[in-house]
Amino acid sequence: IGSFFQDRPVLKNPFLEDALLRGYLRRHLPEEAAFSDLCAFGERVANEVDEWGRECEVTPPRLVYFDPWGRRVDHIVTSPAWKRMKDLSAQEGLVAIGYERQCGEWSRVYQMSKLYIFSPSSGLYTCPLAMTDGAAKVIKSIGVSWPVEEAFSRLTTRQPERFWTSGQWMTERQGGSDVGHGTETVAVPRTDGLYKLHGFKWFTSATDADMTLTLARVQDRMGATTPGSRGLSLFYAEVSRGEDGRLRGIEVQRLKDKLGTRQMPTAELLLDGLPAHKLSEEGRGVASIANMLTITRIHNSVSAVAAMRRVVQLAGDYATRRTAFGKLLKDHPLHMQTLARMEVETRGAFLLVMDVCRLLGREESGMATQLDTHLLRLLTPVVKLYTGKQAVAVVSEGLESFGGQGYIEDTGLPVLLRDVQVLSIWEGTTNVLSLDVLRCVARSSGMVLRAYFTHVKSLLASASSVSSLAPAVKAVDGALSKLEEFVQVAATRAPSYLELAA
Ligand code: MFK
Ligand code: FAD
């Protein structure tokens, strides 16, 4: 049988192992408390939480339609580890930190750093957290008053027994990208000011949520609705059960059988009179849910770079344990070149993502200049679409660096690849986000692109004071005039590019 057994790659404290993250935070985060919190959390992730994440993967959710006596119950059974993730998320303030603003304008960077450490070990619990954060943001931007004040306090609490997660039910059979034309769900007004929703939501993730935000068309007295995006309004609904034990106004049709994200339930839901409150003005549904899209797209980007970082960390560790052709992998220049390329991609992605988190924090704490606001609007879709693609390439390369073991299920490595494949699909596909970029360029008459140009110029100016960066600055500086030219042309042509794509 042989006596050799390969040592496995070991996950060490992902905060302490990440020199780039620590260096970035040391430069920017004023709070020592935040720093030690991240360090302690990193320890917990490596020694405790990572195993729960694995448990979520090997014990996927299942749907129980009926109780033993034949009554319809639609019970989504999740693993004990998935439930522990919910409590942990509240205790660790994974949503709360963004709203407590303990670190002022850097609070989002602090929160997202914590999620970045957590994400690859979270058993995809970062998905409900992203939507929960997005829902809290929408409620806050609309105004935290009845009926959503209680919901807001539950979404942002640190008390596990009060903590709620939210869903984001947008996609229907006809359209996930084009929800404006694809949404058939109608909202029938009741005499008490509430509405009843009737329709079919085709993808609803982390469906064990306590509440949701969703889109529907308000019916007038004749039963007519307004077509297109202008007919959509934003609704808030709680997911609850009646005295008979059945879900109020919801039937879970089935759980999706997915390539990845298997740790969490993604359901098809029949809304059959779901009681709901209208949150937006009539016809302002898409514009009102846009804040949620901004937040979830930033979470998506954090998850993408976190997956890259995790595979790079594990591959680096493995290179110190695996021998080939008489020496450790770390002593093979070609192997190390491959890992170095992955490292460079990961670093670039990290810095871009953190810059977007920084801009979000500035906007939310009232510190944003107009330039910051333009940059946030432009870079959110850009960073989401770019890192979604990068993550698939880097994680795929990462699996190869373990040789055959990278393909073996119970090493816990293949799940990394399965789970990044979705990052370019949900929350807006790559092409849909490209069009979003064009739209925001066109609608701002090119202002967002000019803001980007100004930003690049100021980054270059600050880099030029560092002597070791001088050759790189000189090289990029040469390309600056081309960038300016591109900005002018793209800003003018964006409307016609949009027409071409339509
Ligand atoms: C680990 C991380 C996990 C993350 C969570 C994952 C779980 C959830 C998974 C999901 O996938 S949830 C569903 C996500 N669905 C999408 O992302 C939809 C993708 N499609 C789009 O984004 C389309 O571009 C869009 C639906 C927005 C197009 O709709 P419209 O109505 O044709 O858009 P239009 O006319 O451009 O914009 C309507 C209004 O919204 C405008 O405001 P005004 O009326 O005031 O001018 C726009 O400015 C505003 N708007 C649209 N996109 C915006 C935006 N505002 C800010 N930011 C944006 N991105
Ligand atoms: P389509 O819109 O039909 O797109 C098909 C293709 O056409 C794509 O490649 C797209 O890029 C392209 N395309 C579409 N329009 C254009 C255009 N104008 N120009 C160029 N190309 C275009 N949705 C929710 O609402 N809530 C959830 O919780 C949720 N969870 C999900 C979980 C998983 C695991 C997955 C896979 C999806 C989930 N979704 C959820 C749905 C997801 O948001 C949609 O699948 C996504 O937005 C794409 O919509 P679609 O599937 O209708 O594809």
Side-chain angles (χ1 to χ4, degrees), residues 176-177 179 229 284 287 290 297 303 377 426-428 436 439 443:
S177 306
V179 289
S229 190
R284 298 293 296 160
R297 285 170 185 174
S303 289
R377 177 65 185 94
W426 65 15
E427 293 303 348
D436 186 49
R439 254 195 314 266
R443 284 182 190 164

Side-chain angles (χ1 to χ4, degrees), residues 250-270:
I250 300 175
E251 268 187 19
V252 184
Q253 292 291 296
R254 60 173 169 163
L255 294 188
K256 302 273 195 195
D257 183 6
K258 297 169 288 178
L259 168 68
T261 72
R262 292 187 197 159
Q263 310 89 326
M264 61 152 192
T266 300
E268 295 168 16
L269 298 182
L270 174 70

Side-chain angles (χ1 to χ4, degrees), residues 126-127 130-131 168 170-171 176-177 179 229-230 284 286-287 290 293 296-297 299-300 303 377 426-428 432 436 439 443:
T126 42
C127 171
M131 297 188 289
Q168 177 184 7
M170 294 176 68
T171 306
S177 306
V179 289
S229 190
R230 300 245 166 256
R284 298 293 296 160
V286 173
L293 295 176
T296 48
R297 285 170 185 174
H299 276 256
N300 201 86
S303 289
R377 177 65 185 94
W426 65 15
E427 293 303 348
V432 165
D436 186 49
R439 254 195 314 266
R443 284 182 190 164

Side-chain angles (χ1 to χ4, degrees), residues 181-206:
H181 293 98
T183 303
E184 292 179 325
T185 300
V186 294
V188 184
R190 298 192 330 192
T191 48
D192 59 1
L194 263 66
Y195 292 77
K196 281 197 164 183
L197 305 188
H198 297 269
F200 197 92
K201 296 294 173 183
W202 181 230
F203 276 92
T204 63
S205 280

Side-chain angles (χ1 to χ4, degrees), residues 39 220 226 466:
C39 187
D220 67 16
T226 307
V466 183

Side-chain angles (χ1 to χ4, degrees), residues 266-452:
T266 300
E268 295 168 16
L269 298 182
L270 174 70
L271 309 187
D272 188 14
L274 173 67
H277 297 266
K278 185 161 66 63
L279 287 190
S280 72
E281 280 171 39
E282 226 161 276
R284 298 293 296 160
V286 173
S288 303
I289 210 166
N291 270 321
M292 187 169 205
L293 295 176
T294 299
I295 296 292
T296 48
R297 285 170 185 174
I298 293 173
H299 276 256
N300 201 86
S301 314
V302 170
S303 289
V305 70
M308 293 186 237
R309 172 52 67 203
R310 177 60 58 87
V311 89
V312 169
Q313 275 173 355
L314 292 175
D317 182 78
Y318 193 63
T320 67
R321 299 172 189 276
R322 177 75 173 167
T323 298
F325 297 97
K327 54 187 180 182
L328 287 167
L329 292 180
K330 76 175 179 54
D331 298 320
H332 286 278
L334 195 51
H335 188 73
M336 293 317 282
Q337 186 196 50
T338 302
L339 298 197
R341 286 190 172 144
M342 288 160 57
E343 176 71 36
V344 169
E345 290 287 324
T346 306
R347 284 182 177 220
F350 172 87
L351 292 171
L352 183 59
V353 170
M354 277 302 156
D355 206 40
V356 174
C357 300
R358 176 186 71 84
L359 292 166
L360 178 65
R362 279 179 69 76
E363 189 189 56
E364 291 179 337
S365 53
M367 310 280 286
T369 60
Q370 202 180 30
L371 179 101
D372 292 332
T373 307
H374 283 323
L375 277 177
L376 179 62
R377 177 65 185 94
L378 176 75
L379 292 180
T380 301
V382 169
V383 74
K384 193 281 187 183
L385 75 87
Y386 196 76
T387 56
K389 290 290 198 209
Q390 258 184 318
V392 176
V394 170
V395 173
S396 171
E397 185 72 85
L399 293 205
E400 191 177 332
S401 73
F402 297 93
Q405 288 300 94
Y407 204 71
I408 298 305
E409 197 51 52
D410 57 3
T411 59
L413 294 166
V415 61
L416 287 172
L417 183 58
R418 274 204 297 275
D419 287 352
V420 292
Q421 185 66 57
V422 78
L423 297 177
S424 63
I425 298 175
W426 65 15
E427 293 303 348
T429 60
T430 311
N431 282 346
V432 165
L433 293 176
S434 310
L435 294 174
D436 186 49
V437 170
L438 272 182
R439 254 195 314 266
C440 82
V441 171
R443 284 182 190 164
S444 70
S445 310
M447 286 303 288
V448 293
L449 270 186
R450 289 190 191 100
Y452 172 68

